[in-house]
């Protein structure tokens, strides 16, 4: 079976070439061809000797997930449905803005965490994505957006919990940061987690990038209901992990994401609880209007309620933004990504492992 070079970071590619009896510097050459120029044909890598090109053609490949759906929203947001195997598909979303282009990347087929308000969680869980399948989303986006605004920011906020797939996510992050590949700064790559604390500590030690925590509730009782992983990693432990992460983070704050659910977590009392929580960790808040999906059981807080909630946080001296809903007309907004997940019963096994 041929080695998919999309799945190898610089160190992995160096090991690959050493095993081929080649010099380590070949890794830098191939990284540039594959990731900076988007080249998948070894014959076109003209500064590599013909003999090595022939060897690569026989032993390696550059294969991204297959596009089976490509949808554009009225606001310019673009969503791709990507087939990753015979049974599963995931979604990636590109969000163009005036000064940047943000790609939202998936890390799993489905999600094991089953957050109450998230369409992805209702899809069940099948498997982790490989490094090639993760970085392949960025590779494809750069190719498909050629001539348009390039990808300047990556957020690991698509399908799945990235910190439950760090063996594949960390090499993908290293490629995003590598100057011979995508050359993004650590501040422009964000990993979002529901609060998987061992993963937060590992990411801090191995590849610290900007961190966003899906908070959604200011106390354990409500968060247990909305974000079930809180039952294993409650808020006091989560805050401590956030403070540890800040020691090595490229930003001096953690972003807390907070989806606004009418009559659930949007009262003035909840806002005041958040103020007390924020006193324990340097943070900013990103309020997210809930994006409906069928049978969710939740409603979006009104614009007036969101403004009132934000004002309480701001009066306490906190930095607060309200996320503009993008791509909701093509189900590409936050919490709406669903893909196509097979054998969804695998969530039960994965949940048992997580809770062990």
């Amino acid at each position: 079976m041929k080695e998919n070079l999309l799945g190898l970071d610089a160190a992995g590619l160096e090991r690959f070439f050493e095993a081929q009896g080649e010099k380590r510097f070949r890794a830098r050459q191939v990284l540039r061809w594959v990731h900076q120029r988007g080249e998948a044909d070894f014959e076109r890598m003209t500064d590599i000797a013909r003999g090595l090109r022939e060897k690569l053609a026989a032993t390696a490949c550059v294969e991204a997930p297959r596009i089976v759906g490509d949808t554009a929203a009225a606001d310019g947001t673009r969503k791709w449905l990507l087939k990753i195997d015979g049974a599963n598909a995931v979604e990636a979303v590109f969000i163009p803005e005036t000064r940047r282009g943000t790609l939202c990347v998936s890390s799993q087929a489905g999600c094991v965490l089953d957050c109450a308000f998230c369409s992805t969680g209702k899809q069940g869980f099948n498997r982790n994505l490989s490094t090639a399948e993760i970085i392949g989303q960025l590779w494809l986006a750069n190719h498909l957006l050629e001539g348009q605004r390039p990808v300047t920011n990556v957020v690991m906020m698509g399908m799945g919990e990235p910190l439950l797939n760090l063996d594949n996510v960390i090499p993908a992050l290293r490629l995003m940061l590598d100057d011979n590949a995508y050359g993004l700064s650590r501040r422009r790559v964000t990993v979002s987690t529901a609060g998987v604390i061992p993963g937060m500590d590992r990411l801090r030690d191995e590849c610290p990038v900007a961190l966003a925590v899906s908070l959604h509730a200011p106390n354990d009782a409500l968060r247990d209901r909305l974000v079930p992983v809180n039952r294993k990693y409650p808020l006091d432990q989560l805050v401590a992990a956030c403070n540890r992460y800040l020691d090595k983070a490229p930003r001096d704050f953690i972003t807390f994401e907070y989806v606004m659910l009418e009559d659930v977590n949007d009262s003035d009392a909840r806002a005041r609880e958040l103020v007390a929580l924020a006193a324990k960790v340097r943070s900013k808040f990103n309020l997210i209007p809930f994006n409906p999906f069928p049978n969710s059981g939740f409603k979006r807080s009104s614009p007036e309620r969101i403004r009132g909630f934000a004002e309480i946080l701001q009066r306490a001296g906190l930095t607060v933004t309200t996320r503009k809903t993008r791509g909701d007309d093509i189900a590409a907004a936050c919490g709406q990504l669903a893909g196509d997940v097979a054998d969804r019963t695998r969530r039960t096994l994965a949940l048992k492992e997580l809770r062990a």
Side-chain angles (χ1 to χ4, degrees), residues 326-346:
R326 300 290 302 271
D328 55 335
D329 55 330
I330 57 169
C334 180
Q336 290 184 316
L337 299 191
D340 187 8
V341 180
D343 192 9
R344 301 174 185 183
T345 56
R346 293 190 184 186

Side-chain angles (χ1 to χ4, degrees), residues 97-169:
E97 298 175 86
T98 304
R99 295 183 178 178
R100 65 182 178 184
T102 300
L103 183 69
C104 182
V105 172
S106 293
S107 58
Q108 295 179 312
C111 184
V112 68
L113 296 185
D114 196 23
C115 295
F117 48 82
C118 181
S119 178
T120 304
K122 304 309 174 188
Q123 290 293 295
F125 171 78
N126 184 265
R127 68 173 178 85
N128 289 328
L129 300 193
S130 69
T131 299
E133 290 164 343
I134 295 168
I135 208 68
Q137 296 168 64
L138 177 54
W139 188 87
L140 277 172
N142 277 339
H143 174 73
L144 294 166
L145 297 166
E146 189 175 358
Q148 300 180 40
R149 181 171 297 280
V151 175
T152 63
N153 295 64
V154 174
V155 293
M156 298 289 301
M157 296 181 183
M159 296 174 64
E161 165 55 63
L163 300 193
L164 292 178
N165 185 21
L166 282 179
D167 286 347
N168 294 303
V169 166

Side-chain angles (χ1 to χ4, degrees), residues 45 50-51 329:
M45 299 180 183
R50 176 168 294 280
D329 55 330

Side-chain angles (χ1 to χ4, degrees), residues 192-209:
S192 177
T193 178
V196 180
I197 290 175
M200 292 170 65
D201 290 335
R202 181 180 169 190
L203 185 67
R204 167 191 179 272
D205 291 337
E206 296 187 27
C207 191
V209 293

Side-chain angles (χ1 to χ4, degrees), residues 76-91:
T77 299
R78 192 163 168 186
K79 181 176 76 170
W80 296 287
L81 181 65
L82 306 170
K83 200 76 170 174
I84 55 171
D85 55 40
N88 295 286
V90 299
E91 293 180 334

